């Protein structure tokens, strides 16, 4: 396989948190459903990543995995269009993670912002572990092993994708250099003269080893000024500046998804840990009960008290789920006390249940049919594994550890 075969390949994963809620739906799943028609998609359950923080809780990872995959399918991920698999079923991810760990400076991982933040936030457990520090590195292996062009993630993951790209660059720099090219490049550098050659080498080193983009710009500017170089040499040195060897693991780019923050039942961000969610497979009656009991603008004590929709979690949901005319009706009615909160909640309940109806319908064939779900995972994992194996052949050869 050439690297161009994977030009339109997308890989993304989620930790197995169990049943998905509408926050996951609007925040990620809807986008995945869209992408599966535009790219060759690989969506996987990052079960090993769950262990990085929950190694001690013995959560029911397997059950969570199945529940989550059912929700993916129910949301419209089509196993005929996208490959659905489980990380631990493709052990090559672990092998690549190990090999990448050899060339990854610890400081790169320590400076990922989520590292210290999560340690602080999840202070009920000891996260001074090797596995937790390596979280972004495992994530890098997850993506790089498919030589994907794009990784669709939310803004919270961009720092992880940044290290991933730096690691790929460093890997290619260390293991992808082709000797002939190197010799030519060296000879060309010497033609620049002592001072310029030194500046060039320093800039290249800073960029390739540390991902210093300023150094890259300095190197480029330096090359543009050169008068003693042939066009051929100049081009060679532009390439050499950025690594200039064989690309074994292409640097996957982020595909940033515009994710609305879905408000929960209490107006905070919808999240399982806040206990304010509407699960994707929520029963319509339960949706109704949850919305009916939602708090509203506290200023509306009595029916004739006007309110401010901006202070109301119900309205926050209207903004996301209702169309313009309903939103205007709710906004006006609230401010003028023309409608009561019960009235206001009615169309929201309907909107949510209408959105969830096709999801329920699709979920039906999978619920209680564990075998079917497992066979989808089996098949997807095999497909994924074929590609992962191929990449690892290349990676092992480049690193020099394939005794075959
Ligand atoms: N870290 C991601 C999250 O918390 C999950 C994940 C693991 C992932 N491996 C990945 C996402 C690879 C994209 C690509 O959401
Ligand atoms: Fe909230 Fe609607 Fe009641 Fe206003 S009328 S407080 S927007 S529920």
């Amino acid at each position: 396989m050439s690297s161009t075969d994977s030009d339109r390949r997308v890989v993304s994963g989620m930790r197995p948190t169990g049943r998905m809620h509408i926050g996951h739906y609007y925040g990620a799943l809807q986008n995945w459903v869209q992408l599966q028609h535009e790219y060759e998609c690989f969506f996987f359950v990052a079960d090993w990543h769950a262990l990085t923080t929950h190694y001690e809780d013995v959560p029911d990872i397997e059950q969570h995995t199945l529940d989550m995959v059912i929700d993916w399918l129910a949301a419209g991920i089509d196993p005929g269009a996208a490959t659905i698999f489980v990380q631990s079923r493709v052990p090559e991810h672990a092998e690549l993670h190990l090999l990448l760990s050899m060339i990854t400076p610890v400081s790169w991982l320590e400076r990922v912002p989520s590292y210290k933040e999560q340690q602080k936030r999840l202070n009920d457990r000891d996260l001074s572990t090797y596995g937790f520090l390596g979280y972004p590195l495992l994530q890098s292996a997850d993506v790089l092993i498919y030589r994907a062009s794009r990784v669709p993630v939310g803004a919270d993951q961009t720092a992880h994708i940044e290290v991933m790209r730096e690691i790929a660059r460093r890997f290619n720099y260390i293991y992808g250099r082709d000797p002939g090219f190197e010799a030519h490049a060296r000879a060309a550098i010497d033609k620049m003269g002592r001072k310029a050659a030194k500046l060039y080498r320093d800039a290249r080193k800073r960029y390739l080893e540390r991902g210093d983009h300023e150094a890259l710009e300095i190197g480029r500017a330096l090359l543009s000024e050169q008068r003693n170089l042939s066009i051929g040499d100049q081009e060679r040195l532009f390439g050499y500046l950025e690594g200039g060897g064989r690309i074994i693991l292409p640097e996957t780019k982020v595909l940033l998804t515009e994710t609305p923050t879905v408000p929960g039942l209490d107006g905070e961000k919808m999240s399982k840990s806040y206990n304010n969610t509407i699960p994707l497979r929520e029963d319509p009656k339960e949706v109704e009960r949850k919305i009916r009991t939602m708090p509203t603008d506290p200023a509306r004590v009595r029916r004739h008290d006007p309110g401010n929709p901006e202070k109301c979690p119900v309205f926050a949901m209207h903004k996301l789920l209702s169309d313009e005319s309903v939103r205007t009706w709710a906004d006006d009615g609230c401010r003028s006390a023309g409608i009561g909160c019960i009235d206001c909640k009615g169309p929201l309940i309907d909107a949510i249940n209408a959105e969830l109806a096709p999801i329920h319908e699709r979920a039906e064939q999978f619920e209680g049919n564990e075998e079917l779900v497992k066979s989808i995972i089996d098949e997807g994992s095999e497909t994924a594994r074929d590609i992962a194996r191929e990449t690892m052949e290349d990676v092992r050869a480049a690193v020099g550890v394939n005794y075959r």
Side-chain angles (χ1 to χ4, degrees):
M1 171 169 301
S2 78
S3 60
T4 50
D5 290 335
S6 50
D7 276 358
R8 294 196 63 76
R9 185 177 289 160
V10 150
V11 178
S12 198
M14 277 187 209
R15 279 169 296 172
T17 47
R19 291 199 175 209
M20 308 261 90
H21 51 67
I22 62 176
H24 298 118
Y25 183 67
Y26 293 102
L29 283 176
Q30 231 184 12
N31 181 50
W32 285 14
V33 171
Q34 190 59 36
L35 290 172
Q36 70 183 342
H37 304 299
E38 297 162 19
Y39 291 87
E40 181 194 7
C41 288
F42 290 79
F43 299 130
F44 71 96
V45 181
D47 55 349
W48 282 334
H49 275 106
L51 288 171
T52 62
T53 48
H54 291 70
Y55 57 88
E56 218 174 13
D57 305 2
V58 197
D60 197 350
I61 292 187
E62 273 191 48
Q63 190 56 47
H64 282 176
T65 296
L66 288 173
D67 284 340
M68 186 162 85
V69 170
I70 291 177
D71 281 335
W72 290 2
L73 296 162
I77 307 283
D78 172 3
T83 301
I84 298 173
F85 71 99
V86 173
Q87 183 185 40
S88 65
R89 295 285 302 274
V90 188
E92 285 76 10
H93 288 220
E95 186 184 353
L96 183 57
H97 173 232
L98 175 87
L99 291 177
L100 294 177
S101 78
M102 305 302 172
I103 62 155
T104 304
V106 172
S107 62
W108 287 15
L109 298 172
E110 282 170 339
R111 72 167 191 232
V112 172
S114 59
Y115 179 61
K116 295 221 165 67
E117 278 164 25
Q118 291 281 78
Q119 274 186 338
K120 249 189 233 136
R121 212 171 63 83
L122 304 173
N123 60 5
D124 56 331
R125 66 200 79 182
D126 180 4
L127 290 182
S128 60
T129 57
Y130 184 50
F132 183 66
L133 178 67
Y135 186 111
L137 194 59
L138 179 58
Q139 183 165 355
S140 303
D142 293 340
V143 175
L144 298 177
I145 204 161
Y146 299 101
R147 309 203 234 224
S149 57
R150 294 280 181 165
V151 52
V153 288
D156 63 319
Q157 295 291 310
T158 47
H160 289 172
I161 308 307
E162 251 332 291
V163 248
M164 179 180 87
R165 290 168 55 84
E166 281 170 20
I167 288 161
R169 197 177 306 137
R170 185 166 159 95
F171 186 90
N172 293 325
Y173 168 65
I174 296 176
Y175 299 112
R177 276 169 303 169
D178 136 32
F181 183 90
E182 183 96 35
H184 282 114
R186 289 237 170 93
I189 295 174
D190 290 337
K191 291 181 198 155
M192 292 199 295
R194 280 243 319 271
K195 198 165 149 225
K198 182 176 184 311
L199 287 172
Y200 175 88
R201 284 198 199 93
D202 287 348
R204 178 171 185 269
K205 190 156 187 269
R206 263 164 55 207
Y207 176 62
L208 293 174
E209 289 189 355
R210 279 179 265 138
D212 180 342
H213 286 268
E214 207 177 302
L216 177 64
E217 289 314 319
I218 293 172
R220 283 181 178 152
L222 187 72
L223 284 177
S224 322
E225 288 163 10
Q226 293 305 306
R227 293 288 163 260
N228 325 346
L229 291 179
S230 68
I231 302 279
D233 275 342
Q234 200 172 31
E235 281 182 355
R236 179 172 288 118
L237 290 185
F238 272 114
Y240 190 61
L241 185 63
E242 290 181 65
R246 202 161 69 84
I247 305 289
I248 305 159
L249 299 172
E251 285 175 49
T252 310
K253 290 196 195 73
V254 66
L255 186 64
L256 209 54
T257 34
E258 272 305 324
T259 46
T261 303
V262 180
L265 295 165
D266 53 0
E268 295 298 322
K269 178 183 166 168
M270 187 176 285
S271 161
K272 206 176 219 171
S273 49
Y274 297 155
N275 205 7
N276 63 358
T277 71
I278 298 178
L280 274 188
R281 284 183 270 151
E282 189 79 290
D283 184 74
K285 282 268 161 283
E286 190 56 18
V287 170
E288 183 172 352
R289 192 193 64 78
K290 283 185 172 174
I291 303 295
R292 290 239 182 273
T293 53
M294 268 179 82
T296 60
D297 176 3
R300 296 208 69 182
V301 183
R302 296 199 188 75
R303 169 70 177 73
H304 59 262
D305 295 330
N308 179 356
E310 296 309 326
K311 292 185 179 159
C312 175
V314 175
F315 193 74
M317 281 199 176
H318 267 308
K319 276 193 192 161
L320 184 74
L321 294 153
S322 301
D323 50 36
E324 173 90 53
S325 62
V326 172
R327 287 199 309 266
T328 313
W329 165 83
D331 194 299
D332 293 348
C334 179
R335 292 179 198 277
S336 64
I339 59 169
C341 292
I342 305 276
D343 306 319
C344 185
K345 289 172 171 180
L348 182 60
I349 294 165
D350 295 341
I352 295 171
N353 281 332
E355 196 71 49
L356 299 189
I359 293 176
H360 276 293
E361 203 173 304
R362 277 190 294 259
E364 242 169 67
Q365 57 167 317
F366 302 109
E367 282 171 331
N369 193 351
E370 211 165 88
E371 289 313 306
L372 176 60
V373 182
K374 283 186 172 158
S375 73
I376 290 169
I377 294 172
D378 282 349
E379 204 174 301
S381 302
E382 278 312 310
T383 306
R385 203 163 177 202
D386 284 342
I387 298 171
R389 279 200 182 104
E390 233 177 289
T391 306
M392 287 315 294
E393 292 285 330
D394 245 19
V395 166
R396 286 187 209 112
V399 174
V401 284
N402 59 334
Y403 311 95
R404 268 157 234 260

